Amino acid sequence: MRRFIPSLLLWGTLAIVNGKEFKPIIRTESTSELFERSKKIEVIGPTIFPKPTRYLNESAVVVVEPAIGRHRPDKDVVMAYAEGYGLPYYICFIDTLRQTGFDGDIVLAIADYNLLEAHVLDYLKEQDNVVVYIHELRCFTSKGEHSPRIKKNGQLDIFQMCQLHDVYGWKDEDGNVIEKAEDKRIGRVVATLRYEWYWIWAQEYNPDSWIMLIDARDSYFQTDPFADVPRNQGGLLYFFGENTEATRLGKSTKNANWLRRSYGEGTLQALQEKPTICSGSTMGEQVAIETYLRAMVNEWDETDIKMTGADQGFHNYIYYSSKLASAETIKRLVVWEQGKGIINNLGALRTKKFEEWGFYDTETSDVYNWDGRLSPVVHQYDRDNHLHNHIVRERFKDMKNEWMKNHNK
Ligand SMILES: *[C@@H]1O[C@H](CO)[C@@H](O)[C@H](O)[C@H]1NC(C)=O
């Protein structure tokens, strides 16, 4: 049975809980008291987060442009930082999304030209409404010397610190760029830096467009994720939890370290029993996502953590501490329990086979929510041998072969 616990979920519009205006809306319920915010670490303000351009002056604007495609402001959009993967990863992500009937924008940042895997550019160029940013990151070696982006064992190094120069700047009255800005930050790992890309792209959409931020490497789609989202909510934001039986913030060494190193032992103690909310999968109306992204970039500025993955610490902290709670532009924030919302985070479920958990059909390779409906988005499919093999050994091969065949390669 489902229970609706509005006090947890409705922010900024509490009046509608107690009074006449209250209307349950499709897919805005969650059932877990576990996601209750923590009083112990409550942040009283700030509710206005500075823009990522805070180190530049007021007249700085976004000057970076996509290498492929064009944003359509009135569309829904899926955004991903997808740097350096092989062709099948892009095909699986984009084709499964298009097969659901989704016709909005897909926005990606990929690696610089010289780091792209074979055929990736050709494939992306022929897609409709895929907007691609190809921008050179300026990075450092582990000794702090300037360096291009580094590959290790065929993969781009996720621990490398990088700067994002030349994305902002100044334009003259005719809109011509007169100067580009240096990144004044010391350098960030790409998993942290991607939130700034998301923020830059979010500027291109209307306030009521829905935006999904998702890890492209380990996600694919089964049904249209935007099909039933409530429209014109004035700032609805969806977060997605990981399984609460399998993990908690304090139980996972990585999550515990991200919180401890960013916020100290006290914050970790206060949050150790809380369910983990995944930072790799978030959705919302543009007006709410834009604020959330400012908060995420700002969190790195305010802490002193350089670890890759720290963004998940920020994500959990800004939620459980109520730091987002009174932002004007986030009217409501719903945290979906694992397997109950649009994005199904499977990461924590590796403790036994997906088949044994009962949400995975090994015959069809379909992944379900706990209510027996197909999960619109399957995230972290690689945590189960059967599903991983199915996707990477079978589906990837088929998709790649088909593309090669159609292109006489
Ligand atoms: C902001 O900085 C740019 C680049 O240095 C400069 O051209 C512009 O005049 C400055 N604007 C203001 C309002 O200070």
Side-chain angles (χ1 to χ4, degrees), residues 234-284:
L236 182 55
L237 189 59
Y238 283 173
F239 283 0
F240 298 89
E242 295 190 359
N243 186 273
T244 54
E245 259 180 72
T247 194
R248 295 294 167 89
L249 285 171
K251 226 168 122 178
S252 143
T253 315
K254 283 182 174 177
N255 281 284
N257 274 332
W258 294 327
L259 285 168
R260 182 186 286 119
R261 300 258 197 106
S262 298
Y263 304 105
E265 198 60 39
T267 297
L268 173 61
Q269 293 300 322
L271 298 184
Q272 60 185 349
E273 289 305 317
K274 298 289 186 190
T276 307
I277 307 174
C278 177
S279 62
S281 56
T282 299
M283 290 176 80

Side-chain angles (χ1 to χ4, degrees), residues 165-261:
H165 295 300
D166 302 334
V167 289
Y168 307 114
W170 293 272
K171 291 183 176 176
D172 65 17
E173 281 157 13
D174 302 326
N176 302 312
V177 178
I178 45 174
E179 194 181 331
K180 290 181 179 177
E182 299 252 294
D183 183 350
K184 305 236 167 129
R185 294 176 176 86
I186 55 172
R188 290 168 287 180
V189 294
V190 294
T192 303
L193 192 142
R194 65 183 162 156
Y195 293 88
E196 194 152 341
W197 275 119
Y198 295 154
W199 182 77
I200 289 167
W201 302 336
Q203 316 297 305
E204 304 284 343
Y205 293 87
N206 295 347
D208 60 349
S209 286
W210 270 76
I211 296 178
M212 177 187 294
L213 314 174
I214 184 85
D215 298 339
R217 189 188 55 80
D218 56 357
S219 302
Y220 64 90
F221 301 85
Q222 301 189 126
T223 63
D224 183 354
F226 300 93
D228 296 326
V229 294
R231 299 280 166 181
N232 301 303
Q233 302 294 303
L236 182 55
L237 189 59
Y238 283 173
F239 283 0
F240 298 89
E242 295 190 359
N243 186 273
T244 54
E245 259 180 72
T247 194
R248 295 294 167 89
L249 285 171
K251 226 168 122 178
S252 143
T253 315
K254 283 182 174 177
N255 281 284
N257 274 332
W258 294 327
L259 285 168
R260 182 186 286 119
R261 300 258 197 106

Side-chain angles (χ1 to χ4, degrees), residues 271-388:
L271 298 184
Q272 60 185 349
E273 289 305 317
K274 298 289 186 190
T276 307
I277 307 174
C278 177
S279 62
S281 56
T282 299
M283 290 176 80
E285 290 174 295
Q286 188 273 353
V287 60
I289 286 276
E290 193 273 334
T291 304
Y292 159 75
L293 291 170
R294 271 190 274 128
M296 286 295 278
V297 175
N298 179 60
E299 219 49 37
W300 189 88
D301 293 342
E302 288 187 358
T303 56
D304 182 27
I305 184 167
K306 312 202 171 49
M307 296 168 76
T308 193
D311 55 293
Q312 183 143 298
F314 305 156
H315 186 80
N316 280 276
Y317 178 77
I318 58 176
Y319 173 74
Y320 285 117
S321 69
S322 300
K323 200 167 179 178
L324 285 178
S326 41
E328 276 278 300
T329 43
I330 301 176
K331 286 282 187 286
R332 279 183 287 158
L333 199 164
V334 180
V335 185
W336 292 89
E337 275 185 88
Q338 181 273 322
K340 297 195 174 177
I342 297 172
I343 302 172
N344 196 351
N345 293 318
L346 305 175
L349 295 162
R350 58 176 11 146
T351 49
K352 58 186 182 203
K353 290 180 181 169
F354 286 0
E355 187 184 5
E356 287 170 33
W357 284 98
F359 60 78
Y360 176 58
D361 184 337
T362 52
E363 291 293 309
T364 59
S365 296
D366 288 333
V367 173
Y368 294 93
N369 278 5
W370 296 113
D371 67 359
R373 286 189 283 192
L374 279 177
S375 307
V377 187
V378 180
H379 179 214
Q380 299 161 326
Y381 65 76
D382 59 345
R383 309 303 207 273
D384 176 79
N385 279 338
H386 191 281
L387 181 54
H388 180 252

